[in-house]
Amino acid sequence: MNFLSFLLLCLTSVANGNKANKHKPWIETEYQGIVMENDNTVLLNPPLFALDKDAPLHYAGEICGFRVHNGPSGSGSVQFEAVVLDRSTGEGLVRSKEPLDCESQREHSFTIQAYDCGEGPDGVNSKKSHKATVHVRVNDVNEFSPVFVERRYEASVPEGRLFDRIVRVEALDADCSPQYSQICFYDIITPNVPFAIDNDGNIKNTEPLDSKRQRVHTFWVTAFDCGKNRAQADAQVVVTVKPSCKPGWIGWTKRVEYTPGSGSIPLFPSLHLETCEETVWNIQATVELQTGHIGKGCDRDSYSDRSVRRLCGAVRGEVDLLPPPSPAANWTATLPTLPSSDSSLVFSFNGSNHVAVVPDSVVSTLSGDHFTLQLWMRRGGSSIQPATTQTRGNRKEEETIVCSTVKNDDTFSHYSLSVHGCRLSLFYWPDVSAARPVKFLWKLEQVCDSEWHHLSLSVQFPSVTLYVDGVTFDPALIHDNGAIPNPAPRQRMFIGACWAEQHKGPDMKYVGGYHGLLSGVTVRPGSVEPHSVVECLYACREGLDFGDLETLGSGMKVHVNPSQSVLVLEGDDIESFNRAVQQVTYRNSLRFATPGVRPLKLTTSLRCFNEESCLSLKQLEGYLVVLQPDAPQISLSGVGPHLARPAPEFEGPRGVPLFPELRIVCSLSHAVNTAAQGMEALMSDAVAHTLDGCEVQPLGEELNSEREELLVDMDVVRERGLEIINTTAYIAITGAESISVYEDVLRSVRYRLAKGSARFERRFRLSCSEMNGRYTSNELTLEVNFLHSLDSLYHPSHLLASQQQFLHPSHHAGELSGHTLPNPHRNSVVPGAATIIIMVCVGFLVVMVILGVFRIRSIHRRGEGARGGAKEGSSQWDDSALTIIVNPMETYESRMGITADTEGEGEEDEEVAESPDDASDDQRIIIKKEGRDGNARRY
């Protein structure tokens, strides 16, 4: 309703009659108001006017006031009030009773109601209008300044790159309105810095940073709100420039040295992974140590296969199916061999004509359904071309390693061990005439990786256990009911192929030829090998290890393969992973580790949340160098250099022991500082040790098998499981065993002669070794002298034999007088010169004998003259029966002191020389004369 309508209504009321205060005041139903924080007057839209139809009546048509009531929040009436500015026009004003705060409450709502003045000054019969809603918005005043969330911002970036954002600063404003609470822009107030900031607070570098020129950049920034108020306090920004970040391993050492005897050493003590802030959720590292110097298996550079079996306590009785070629084992003579780092032979098979046919005499010892088959296998090889034999479907033919049919009582059993691709299979027929074959199948990566692997197959039918490198693998059992022809009931065994049953002809036809390398193929009938023994056979004393499993963080995993050549670490936390890598160690418990280079590899794979941009790390390669260990000194002593015994003792049934007091000592020499002079000196410490072979060899001519031989206590050798080769050229005792055992065996070595075969001397040489001959002892030379009786020497023919012995071309002229130890490496004196020297010496001795006879006779005559012929009736000295005996061994006996009554005889001889009568009774003359060497000689 407009104002004109209202006036018309009033005039109509007057025309109808003069009635007092008949109508209520009228106001708008809703008002919108605005008030500033620093003001209390509310500007309403529309303006506040109250109209009354009773106007222009006095009082009844006038507005006396406004009343403010609670709004929806219930607090509007407390903060606001309404006043009448003009009673006649009804104009009013809304204002706040107290200062308003936009930050605490930005909007207020309440209701307002107008009252007229009634019918008189006292307001009798006053009327009130309806209630109108008022919405008041408090407008903000820019009373606050921006405040930074952090007083100091830090960041680190790699050098040489431009970044869109290095760090973001942030400031806040406490004003309530968007105009004054928003930060309109930031500013860097430090001049001449290579950084810029945008209106959102993002800081970037304006040029590539160089850590060498300036490692740390520090500057200040400020902020402004949209009311242009500046921040109360500026913020400091610190940017650290890192050297160029290259993802990968940091601290890798390509060369690692190991001193034998150090136990375990960490391979990567300072290695850590740098991902350049790339978030990864899985890390896997593989460490590979290549011990190619070992060849097949572990510790084979120290001990042979047989020695390792003995040290591991394996049950004896195995039969070697691929022995070294010899007259007794000639079925491997046609197989080509390859060099090996250990003492065992490696046989090569080409898949066609390289086959070993084991003799029936050997096969007959392998009966029974309980046996253990062990072998070293390597498919293919660098020196072997791949097999070309194929069958239909373009699939390679099955390759047979061992094919055997043996007789068990009245039946025959058959088995064959074969490989096909990456599968190993065992066919077993318990009874070829009745039962059907059973096939055991294993799928193994070790079969086709062209590496050496140790296989141990324990058959205790119907149970079969396979160990590959000391780890057990379960088979998939297959009952083969197909049309497979049973092998003929005939005992035979092939290595490297199998026979063709349908083949008719004089020549054997082979099928399923094996292509690769084999070594140490043995079968032991009877009970199967214990698991502990099999594990020991492949156990390594050198390889990778992990320092302390308790230090592994959560989520970390570590795995080491049986040969300890591969170690795998896996985790999801970089810090825990770095600590784990630093715990990877190299362990070598060998006292005398094999020196040389062991290649080392580290392969890393990362998995990130964003697989497309995930880091890819290249493989790291290095090497471990095992330094030369202190060489052990093996000393043989307590023997010789001479062994003199009567000849009959050598001709006895047991002979004479050559080394009855042998002592073997192993020591290590190392440098020590002397306290007195501060200098280094060598010092030796005795150590417990294991020998692997000793050899006794006759020097000069080989033993004559018809007249002489070397005997060994075979009970001791068999009890210790040692091996012995006894020929006329040498005796070789082999096998890893302690020093005390070898002492016992060598002390039992005896030398025996046939009747009448005694010579004057025979020389032997003894030496020992260890670590497959890497370290050898000193060569102990023993000269054996045979003492002959006087009766045998009196015979002229024996004297001639003695002269021939002295004229042996291996002796020197100077050895005749002193019996010094002959040198086996020298033979420079010709027989003519030796004969001349002997003749001169014999002539000189004859002259001395004649002079001695004349001297004794003159003394005898002077004695008779002094007594004045007191004994005229006594018999005269008859020299017609005089016999002079020259013993060529007399000097040696006096030097060695082997005859206990020699000195006593010398005293009696002197008395005889003073008493010619006694000499005539004995009818012999003994003359003492000093030789060139000062030793007394008797003639």
Side-chain angles (χ1 to χ4, degrees), residues 736-787:
E737 197 45 271
S738 63
I739 288 179
S740 60
V741 171
Y742 269 94
E743 285 179 340
D744 294 340
V745 174
L746 292 174
R747 288 170 184 172
S748 69
V749 176
R750 294 173 173 268
Y751 179 54
R752 190 177 70 85
L753 293 172
K755 289 291 185 180
S757 302
R759 306 167 58 180
F760 280 95
E761 68 176 30
R762 165 63 93 172
R763 290 181 299 135
F764 295 94
R765 181 172 60 199
L766 171 64
S767 62
C768 296
S769 65
E770 61 174 334
M771 300 289 182
N772 283 331
R774 193 197 317 173
Y775 303 114
T776 58
S777 67
N778 61 308
E779 293 185 350
L780 191 63
T781 304
L782 175 66
E783 180 179 314
V784 179
N785 297 104
F786 309 94
L787 303 183

Side-chain angles (χ1 to χ4, degrees), residues 618-637:
K618 67 177 184 179
Q619 184 184 68
L620 297 179
E621 296 184 359
Y623 55 92
L624 173 75
V625 180
V626 178
L627 302 179
Q628 184 73 34
D630 294 332
Q633 304 295 327
I634 307 173
S635 176
L636 308 180
S637 61

Side-chain angles (χ1 to χ4, degrees), residues 490-511:
R490 175 186 171 187
Q491 183 171 270
R492 53 187 168 181
M493 175 180 287
F494 286 5
I495 309 296
C498 200
W499 56 86
E501 290 297 339
Q502 292 82 4
H503 177 70
K504 305 296 183 180
D507 297 331
M508 177 61 67
K509 183 178 179 181
Y510 306 121
V511 294

Side-chain angles (χ1 to χ4, degrees), residues 201-247:
N202 298 313
I203 299 176
K204 64 180 181 179
N205 57 324
T206 57
E207 62 184 40
L209 304 178
D210 189 356
S211 62
K212 297 179 181 178
R213 184 168 55 186
Q214 186 172 352
R215 182 67 183 275
V216 179
H217 295 267
T218 303
F219 52 94
W220 297 84
V221 296
T222 190
F224 293 88
D225 61 17
C226 294
K228 296 185 178 180
N229 275 359
R230 181 177 173 175
Q232 293 179 353
D234 301 326
Q236 185 184 39
V237 179
V238 179
V239 177
T240 302
V241 183
K242 299 187 300 182
S244 299
C245 179
K246 295 181 179 180

Side-chain angles (χ1 to χ4, degrees), residues 258-293:
Y258 177 79
T259 302
S262 303
S264 298
I265 63 168
L267 290 176
F268 321 112
S270 59
L271 189 65
H272 64 278
L273 181 62
E274 176 60 58
T275 60
C276 296
E277 300 182 359
E278 179 71 29
T279 303
V280 297
W281 64 272
N282 182 268
I283 313 171
Q284 182 173 323
T286 303
V287 183
E288 298 181 59
L289 179 69
Q290 300 179 15
T291 54
H293 69 286

Side-chain angles (χ1 to χ4, degrees), residues 317-594:
E318 71 276 1
V319 177
D320 194 350
L321 301 182
L322 290 179
S326 64
N330 58 356
W331 67 89
T332 60
T334 60
L335 296 178
T337 59
L338 298 179
S340 176
S341 59
D342 54 22
S343 60
S344 60
L345 285 179
V346 175
F347 294 91
S348 174
F349 295 83
N350 61 0
S352 57
N353 59 343
H354 291 169
V355 180
V357 181
V358 183
D360 291 343
S361 60
V362 177
V363 180
S364 61
T365 63
L366 304 177
S367 61
D369 57 357
H370 289 23
F371 61 90
T372 299
L373 173 65
Q374 299 195 60
L375 56 95
W376 286 95
M377 180 187 71
R378 179 182 176 184
R379 294 280 300 281
S382 58
S383 60
I384 304 175
Q385 297 298 324
T388 57
T389 305
Q390 294 182 349
T391 58
R392 67 177 183 273
N394 201 26
R395 297 179 61 188
K396 292 184 178 180
E397 185 181 275
E398 191 172 61
E399 304 175 19
T400 303
I401 300 176
V402 179
C403 187
S404 173
T405 300
V406 297
K407 184 176 182 181
N408 301 322
D409 297 331
D410 297 332
T411 62
F412 287 87
S413 63
H414 176 84
Y415 71 88
S416 63
L417 182 67
S418 306
V419 290
H420 186 195
C422 293
R423 289 176 172 84
L424 180 74
S425 63
L426 174 70
F427 277 92
Y428 190 80
W429 279 263
D431 187 351
V432 298
S433 61
R436 297 300 298 170
V438 179
K439 183 178 181 181
F440 301 88
L441 187 66
W442 297 266
K443 186 176 181 181
L444 304 169
E445 295 181 358
Q446 293 88 336
V447 175
C448 56
D449 61 359
S450 297
E451 298 291 339
W452 278 108
H453 294 285
H454 180 259
L455 272 63
S456 178
L457 197 66
S458 296
V459 179
Q460 196 170 5
F461 191 78
S463 174
V464 176
T465 305
L466 173 67
Y467 300 93
V468 180
D469 299 338
V471 179
T472 309
F473 289 89
D474 296 328
L477 186 64
I478 299 176
H479 291 273
D480 199 339
N481 295 321
I484 299 178
N486 290 340
R490 175 186 171 187
Q491 183 171 270
R492 53 187 168 181
M493 175 180 287
F494 286 5
I495 309 296
C498 200
W499 56 86
E501 290 297 339
Q502 292 82 4
H503 177 70
K504 305 296 183 180
D507 297 331
M508 177 61 67
K509 183 178 179 181
Y510 306 121
V511 294
Y514 172 72
H515 179 265
L517 305 178
L518 293 177
S519 179
V521 182
T522 62
V523 172
R524 185 178 58 79
S527 59
V528 298
E529 204 77 80
H531 188 192
S532 59
V533 173
V534 177
E535 289 182 340
C536 176
L537 290 175
Y538 196 76
C540 297
R541 300 175 65 186
E542 171 187 10
L544 299 173
D545 202 354
F546 193 81
D548 187 4
L549 293 175
E550 295 182 358
T551 61
L552 278 176
S554 59
M556 289 296 304
K557 299 178 182 178
V558 60
H559 172 74
V560 184
N561 69 335
S563 62
Q564 296 183 327
S565 60
V566 179
L567 185 144
V568 180
L569 283 173
E570 186 175 358
D572 52 9
D573 180 67
I574 294 181
E575 296 298 328
S576 300
F577 196 86
N578 288 335
R579 289 194 298 268
V581 168
Q582 296 171 4
Q583 291 289 327
V584 177
T585 61
Y586 168 75
R587 177 187 57 82
N588 196 327
S589 59
L590 294 172
R591 182 189 296 272
F592 306 106
T594 304

